[in-house]
Amino acid sequence: GEFGRDVNDFTFEVDNNLSLIPNLAADFEIGKTVKLAGAEIAAFDPDTNRLFVTSFSGLQVLSVASDLTMTMLGTITLGSNDVNSVAVKNGVVAVAVASANKTDPGDVFFLDAAAELSVSGGIISPTDFVFTSVKVGALPDMLTFTADGMKVLVANEAEQNDVDGNNPPDLVNPEGSLSIIDLSPVMSENALVGAVPLVTTASFAAFNDKLVELKAAGVRLFAGEVGFTDITVAKDLEPEYISISPDGK
């Protein structure tokens, strides 16, 4: 066709219509279900057949049988219990937990997926289950392991505090950030007793003086707009998800 012509000038013929006749070539059926306190994020450990599920009431742990029957093993309390994300790699469970005051630094807890659980009244004891934890940025929203399982990357969303109501608190808007947790001090063969993971948290503060350039490049930012004149780029950015390249770099 010619550039600049109206789309109504064109006629198209479709000769590969999709069939709407159902078939069972790619059929599936729901296996088993179980009622939980929440189930936004789940991570499965194939070596133990344990399923770890987030909730606002702690981390839920289930066992999954070969017929997909799920059995609730219990719930473990982790920090504020506001569990936002969970991931499993090489027998290690990483759990992102927001602070009770979500604008404060959150925590990442590390659990042994194969630990023998001590359960009382549906509550799992942290003894021999949780082996370490670290502080990260405000409101850790999502985490993931690198391919080798030796690092965990955390997206710290850093939402501002809630200010609705008749007597709202002062506005607090922390900076969004990314935390990189190096597990080698606790996972290496020669790990020392009492060693802890190394945490490096990267902020976006270096972009605070690049607001005009970022907007010109198409980055969607509210900073500098009416009602947001006191917001910096670092406070405006609220990372929620991380994707890692296959080579981990």
Side-chain angles (χ1 to χ4, degrees):
E2 299 176 8
F3 292 107
R5 293 180 60 185
D6 190 278
V7 68
N8 293 321
D9 294 339
F10 294 89
T11 300
F12 299 93
E13 292 184 4
V14 179
D15 56 7
N16 61 342
N17 296 322
L18 296 177
S19 172
L20 298 180
I21 300 174
N23 65 74
L24 301 180
D27 194 22
F28 72 94
E29 64 180 43
I30 296 176
K32 309 293 181 179
T33 61
V34 61
K35 187 174 182 179
L36 299 173
E40 183 178 6
I41 307 293
F44 180 70
D45 178 51
D47 293 330
T48 61
N49 291 324
R50 286 178 175 175
L51 185 67
F52 302 89
V53 186
T54 65
S55 81
F56 294 122
S57 303
L59 183 71
Q60 303 161 109
V61 185
L62 300 88
S63 63
V64 183
S66 57
D67 66 351
L68 301 184
T69 298
M70 291 175 284
T71 302
M72 171 66 84
L73 300 179
T75 301
I76 182 169
T77 296
L78 298 171
S80 70
N81 264 354
D82 188 358
V83 180
N84 286 332
S85 185
V86 61
V88 178
K89 186 77 173 181
N90 298 338
V92 177
V93 185
V95 188
V97 182
S99 171
N101 180 352
K102 71 177 184 179
T103 61
D104 289 340
D107 299 275
V108 172
F109 292 84
F110 292 94
L111 289 63
D112 179 1
E116 183 175 344
L117 304 181
S118 175
V119 185
S120 177
I123 303 300
I124 303 173
S125 169
T127 304
D128 298 326
F129 192 19
V130 178
F131 63 86
T132 193
S133 66
V134 295
K135 286 287 183 183
V136 290
L139 194 60
D141 191 53
M142 182 268 185
L143 51 69
T144 186
F145 283 89
T146 54
D148 62 3
M150 295 304 291
K151 290 184 176 66
V152 173
L153 277 64
V154 189
N156 303 307
E157 187 177 2
E159 288 181 348
Q160 69 178 41
N161 61 332
D162 299 320
V163 295
D164 293 333
N166 295 324
N167 186 28
D170 293 334
L171 176 66
V172 178
N173 191 352
E175 294 185 351
S177 62
L178 302 174
S179 293
I180 303 172
I181 305 172
D182 182 359
L183 293 174
S184 57
V186 296
M187 298 295 294
S188 61
E189 294 182 359
N190 57 350
L192 300 176
V193 176
V196 296
L198 299 175
V199 183
T200 301
T201 297
S203 78
F204 299 99
F207 296 98
N208 284 342
D209 61 353
K210 306 292 184 181
L211 179 60
V212 174
E213 293 93 328
L214 290 172
K215 287 187 175 183
V219 179
R220 184 173 180 267
L221 294 166
F222 290 100
E225 303 293 334
V226 176
F228 299 92
T229 54
D230 295 332
I231 302 300
T232 64
V233 171
K235 291 181 178 181
D236 200 344
L237 295 175
E238 298 180 350
E240 295 187 44
Y241 199 84
I242 294 175
S243 181
I244 304 175
S245 62
D247 62 6
K249 298 180 180 179

